Amino acid sequence: MKKDNKKIIYWLLTGCILIFIMVVVGGITRLTHSGLSISNYKLISGTIPPMNAVEWQEAFDLYKQYPEYQKLNNQFTLEDFKDIYFWEWLHRVIGRFIGLVFLIPFLYFLITKQLSKSTLKKAIVLLCLGSFQGFLGWYMVKSGLVDNPDVSHYRLAAHLTTAFITFAYTFWVALDLMFPDKKAINNAFRNLIRWGLFIVIVQIIYGAFVAGLDAGFMHNHWPMMSEGKFMHETVYTEQTPTYKNFIEGKSGVQFVHRILAFVVVGFILAIYFISKKLALTNYQSKGLNLLVIILGFQFLLGVFTILLQVPVWLGVAHQVGAFFLLSAMTFTLHRFSK
């Protein structure tokens, strides 16, 4: 690691930590059904929550105009509303804070010419990803303010997956600066890890589908689904045509998420055991070991999340596990790519 890059690396890693916090709070927001509590978007003034009884009543009256209150929460008191308002407000404030933490140091590094051309290009990509992520958050909330008092699971998946990808790319750029020296690579093994990363991302997308459809509250058995069946008939009968079951049906989406869990486990274990035939560096070995350990924890978290019918703390822990699994996958791929 070059000394000149230290400040930039710390800046990028700070961004990674903040994105992690954002994902955790976003998970809590989703699992507590708080995401539609703020129906307008004010970039500056929206950072300040209601400060007195009149402002709280105005915010509550606005919430009453939308389907979630009218169809689901019409028994809510002002105190109930304050509980869900808090998580969505915090989620949005952290998003704005991440924007400032990225933009202000970026402009400083740009003006003082501390960014190489390569890092500058990557930072611009990060800026675009962050902006797109903010747009997707607004676009997601908008889908729950029309007729159906719930956000589109497609938009939720896009919002969550973009957050994960933004984190992974930020981490990758930091790793580029931490390990600037190139080395010979095994293309075949690197490509195997790339496929592993791709499968993990697909699994994350399906995890978001499960969250968006509340599919985790069905078939709370393992390893079989309800009635001791490997594939319950509701997996392919909820929706028509049949293919919709696997992208919009609660049972079908949960089934795919279950099966992909085994695919992820099998693929990562294959990567691990194949690596034993290679001469590994210290960082490569550590990355693979960490990957397998996190995989084990994440698999167990998934099983208990289903068995215990998605308690908030466990649902958040499972999402955090996916975050750490992606982190380990990104680090491992980097160490076999550069």
Side-chain angles (χ1 to χ4, degrees):
M1 180 174 63
K2 295 179 181 178
K3 186 177 180 181
D4 294 346
N5 287 333
K6 275 190 175 182
K7 286 184 287 186
I8 299 171
I9 291 168
Y10 292 147
W11 165 55
L12 293 168
L13 292 179
T14 299
C16 288
I17 293 169
L18 288 172
I19 294 171
F20 168 73
I21 294 170
M22 180 82 163
V23 168
V24 172
V25 173
I28 297 172
T29 301
R30 174 62 197 168
L31 289 166
T32 55
H33 302 284
S34 304
L36 296 176
S37 57
I38 305 177
S39 50
N40 55 9
Y41 188 85
K42 298 177 180 178
L43 183 61
I44 306 300
S45 60
T47 58
I48 303 172
M51 300 300 289
N52 54 53
V54 173
E55 291 180 358
W56 272 116
Q57 191 59 50
E58 287 175 352
F60 191 29
D61 289 342
L62 181 62
Y63 177 65
K64 290 179 180 179
Q65 297 175 25
Y66 291 94
E68 184 173 79
Y69 176 82
Q70 295 166 357
K71 296 182 179 181
L72 292 178
N73 295 335
N74 49 43
Q75 79 287 356
F76 261 32
T77 65
L78 180 58
E79 292 305 312
D80 295 325
F81 172 69
K82 287 180 179 180
D83 289 339
I84 62 171
Y85 185 99
F86 169 76
W87 289 112
E88 176 62 10
W89 170 80
L90 182 61
H91 189 54
R92 294 189 184 197
V93 167
I94 294 171
R96 292 177 173 92
F97 184 63
I98 290 174
L100 290 175
V101 167
F102 180 83
L103 189 59
I104 294 172
F106 170 71
L107 293 174
Y108 168 75
F109 292 135
L110 183 65
I111 292 168
T112 56
K113 298 181 179 179
Q114 296 186 50
L115 298 171
S116 66
K117 285 185 179 180
S118 175
T119 304
L120 175 59
K121 290 177 182 177
K122 295 169 187 174
I124 291 172
V125 171
L126 284 174
L127 181 63
C128 293
L129 280 171
S131 301
F132 185 55
Q133 170 69 358
F135 163 76
L136 284 174
W138 168 82
Y139 186 59
M140 176 186 69
V141 169
K142 188 179 177 183
S143 67
L145 300 176
V146 185
D147 298 311
N148 183 26
D150 207 353
V151 299
S152 161
H153 71 290
Y154 293 119
R155 298 187 190 186
L156 172 66
H159 183 54
L160 180 64
T161 305
T162 304
F164 275 79
I165 290 173
T166 302
F167 163 82
Y169 189 68
T170 306
F171 189 35
W172 187 276
V173 176
L175 290 171
D176 279 347
L177 296 174
M178 292 165 67
F179 300 99
D181 297 328
K182 304 285 185 179
K183 63 179 186 300
I185 61 173
N186 182 323
N187 289 320
F189 191 72
R190 177 203 61 192
N191 291 341
L192 185 66
I193 301 175
R194 283 179 174 175
W195 276 109
L197 178 62
F198 173 75
I199 294 169
V200 167
I201 291 173
V202 173
Q203 177 68 322
I204 288 169
I205 292 170
Y206 262 90
F209 281 0
V210 169
L213 292 169
D214 289 327
F217 296 98
M218 301 182 67
H219 307 295
N220 298 112
H221 310 274
W222 192 88
M224 299 299 177
M225 300 181 85
S226 297
E227 300 169 22
K229 296 178 180 179
F230 172 73
M231 179 190 284
H232 196 267
E233 58 268 15
T234 53
V235 168
Y236 48 86
T237 58
E238 274 184 33
Q239 304 280 332
T240 54
T242 304
Y243 79 88
K244 277 196 171 183
N245 285 286
F246 302 102
I247 54 175
E248 295 182 3
K250 293 185 179 184
S251 293
V253 163
Q254 192 198 102
F255 177 75
V256 174
H257 195 51
R258 284 172 175 256
I259 297 303
L260 279 176
F262 288 104
V263 174
V264 169
V265 168
F267 216 95
I268 290 178
L269 288 179
I271 290 170
Y272 180 78
F273 287 115
I274 291 171
S275 75
K276 295 302 179 182
K277 301 175 183 178
L278 307 174
L280 304 178
T281 67
N282 186 42
Y283 282 115
Q284 288 172 340
S285 182
K286 285 182 177 179
L288 287 163
N289 290 337
L290 187 62
L291 187 59
V292 172
I293 292 169
I294 293 174
L295 174 70
F297 278 110
Q298 175 64 352
F299 189 85
L300 288 174
L301 283 171
V303 171
F304 284 111
T305 300
I306 281 291
L307 290 177
L308 299 177
Q309 300 184 43
V310 202
V312 171
W313 70 270
L314 199 48
V316 172
H318 188 47
Q319 185 165 299
V320 168
F323 199 95
F324 283 127
L325 186 62
L326 180 67
S327 304
M329 203 82 203
T330 302
F331 177 81
T332 303
L333 177 59
H334 192 277
R335 290 298 73 228
F336 282 93
S337 299
K338 297 279 183 166

